Amino acid sequence: MATLLRDSGARAQLIDGKAGGQIVDEAARAAASALTLDLGRAPALAVVLVGEDPASQVYVRNKVRRTTAAGLTSIEHRLAADTSREALLALVDQLNRDDAIDGILVQLPLPDHLDATEVVEAIDPHKDVDGLTARSAGALVQGAPGLRPCTPSGCVWLARQALGDLTGKSVVVIGRSILVGKPAALLFLQENCTVTLAHSRTRDLPAVCAEADILIPAVGRPEMVRGDWIKPGATVIDVGINRIDGAGGKPRLVGDACLSEAIEVADFVTPVPGGVGPMTIAMLLANCCAAAAARAGRSRPEALAEILPA
Ligand code: NDP
């Protein structure tokens, strides 16, 4: 646990998401290896990328590299930007019916002419390793078994590494998207936290944030959360990834919290980059192994017991 924490040079310790991602990748590798022996084939993840979005291309390249390194099979489908709705849905259907595929991920965003909700809903919930279908979201609300969204699962795991048992902590999540904010709120609730879900209409957001033992900004506004929004001794798990002009006009990445101020006030802070970001793919690999086990009627691999939320 201690290996994830780094000195920030100020009050807070940094929670190293890159090291965290490696730990979870390693657990996925152990799970994949056990499943390969048991099932006679490695868990398989199919990634569908439509179009040429540069950020998505980089992300998919990383996914493929880490999937293979963890001993899972990676199948990639790269489709032209003008792929029709019918062709994309037909591919998803084909992947749903392919028994050798355990996880399906359609990289978002999709080109404008395609309806992301329709395409995501077409994915077999048993293979929904992004945890974004209505069935997966419903299972999360009910506390029923299912696949949970990757980035919020990564946030919970990092918070547990820093703080241990989260029972009774007050959590403020800023942002209510289906991808991050809402599932994050539900996952922290499942950890027995007392959760506030804030958004653009929340009144006096700084005062709301100042109540949080654990603050999760997931907004997409560079350095919106200032030091005086943070309760002394709190933990900040910063989901935001924002590209801004740095020194000499060189682009640099910052989070939704102002890191230099947060580390003066909080006890634990995830940096951007190198915080929540690297956890997303790691949780995807863990989910794919969990999906492979569940589809084969096996219990969740032992190696994932401490990784995935219940
Ligand atoms: P969305 O744009 O879908 O949602 C943003 C949310 O922030 C909305 O709920 C919105 O509220 C809220 N919001 C906007 N402005 C304010 C404000 N001034 N005060 C309070 N709340 C506000 O973004 P995502 O959830 O998809 O992503 C959020 C951030 O996380 C982005 O920076 C994204 O890049 C990053 N991200 C990082 C990932 C990772 O792997 N680390 C993965 C996914 C996302 P309302 O609903 O009222 O409009």
Side-chain angles (χ1 to χ4, degrees):
M1 179 193 286
T3 57
L4 287 194
L5 301 179
R6 286 195 283 117
D7 189 9
S8 71
R11 170 180 176 149
Q13 288 186 284
L14 296 175
I15 310 174
D16 184 344
K18 206 163 167 223
Q22 284 166 2
I23 291 171
V24 175
D25 278 12
E26 189 52 39
R29 208 177 62 77
S33 159
L35 284 164
T36 304
L37 279 177
D38 183 12
L39 308 179
R41 67 166 180 83
L45 172 66
V47 176
V48 180
L49 176 62
V50 187
E52 313 279 310
D53 180 67
S56 294
Q57 304 248 12
V58 172
Y59 190 57
V60 166
R61 212 167 34 239
N62 282 334
K63 253 180 220 163
V64 169
R65 182 177 51 76
R66 281 172 63 183
T67 305
T68 313
L72 287 82
T73 302
S74 173
I75 294 123
E76 236 186 309
H77 290 270
R78 286 175 179 266
L79 307 181
D82 62 356
T83 297
S84 69
R85 165 186 175 271
E86 289 71 22
L88 180 56
L89 291 174
L91 174 59
V92 171
D93 183 49
Q94 178 200 318
L95 295 170
N96 282 342
R97 284 190 280 118
D98 185 341
D99 209 33
I101 302 283
D102 299 297
I104 303 171
L105 185 143
V106 177
Q107 182 65 40
L108 303 178
L110 289 171
D112 287 346
H113 68 284
L114 296 167
D115 177 350
T117 306
E118 180 185 35
V119 176
V120 167
E121 279 310 314
I123 296 171
D124 177 346
H126 299 100
K127 301 186 178 188
D128 174 25
V129 284
D130 242 353
L132 293 180
T133 60
R135 172 95 167 264
S136 298
L140 174 57
V141 171
Q142 291 185 335
L147 294 161
R148 310 304 193 211
C150 301
T151 302
S153 297
C155 293
V156 170
W157 189 81
L158 288 174
R160 280 209 314 254
Q161 298 314 298
L163 300 173
D165 183 10
L166 303 179
T167 298
K169 304 279 185 204
S170 80
V171 172
V172 174
V173 179
I174 322 174
R176 55 177 163 180
S177 71
I178 290 171
L179 185 62
V180 188
K182 280 180 189 162
L186 288 160
L187 285 172
F188 279 98
L189 187 61
Q190 208 161 296
E191 297 288 315
N192 300 312
C193 297
T194 304
V195 179
T196 302
L197 189 47
H199 46 77
S200 67
R201 314 289 177 89
T202 296
R203 284 195 203 144
D204 200 355
L205 185 59
V208 171
C209 292
E211 296 295 316
D213 298 321
I214 304 173
L215 182 59
I216 321 274
V219 176
R221 288 186 173 242
E223 301 182 325
M224 179 182 86
V225 173
R226 311 309 305 191
D228 60 4
W229 297 27
I230 299 168
K231 177 158 98 174
T235 296
V236 180
I237 309 282
D238 190 350
V239 181
I241 300 178
N242 308 288
R243 193 175 293 274
I244 63 167
D245 286 340
K250 220 177 134 200
R252 72 183 179 102
L253 294 183
V254 296
D256 287 344
C258 175
L259 184 61
S260 61
E261 293 178 12
I263 57 173
E264 298 291 344
V265 187
D267 273 359
F268 301 102
V269 179
T270 57
V272 176
V276 174
M279 295 302 301
T280 300
I281 293 177
M283 288 298 175
L284 176 72
L285 303 182
N287 266 353
C288 193
C289 292
R295 293 183 60 248
R298 307 294 199 274
S299 54
R300 193 168 271 185
E302 189 59 35
L304 301 179
E306 298 295 316
I307 303 291
L308 293 175

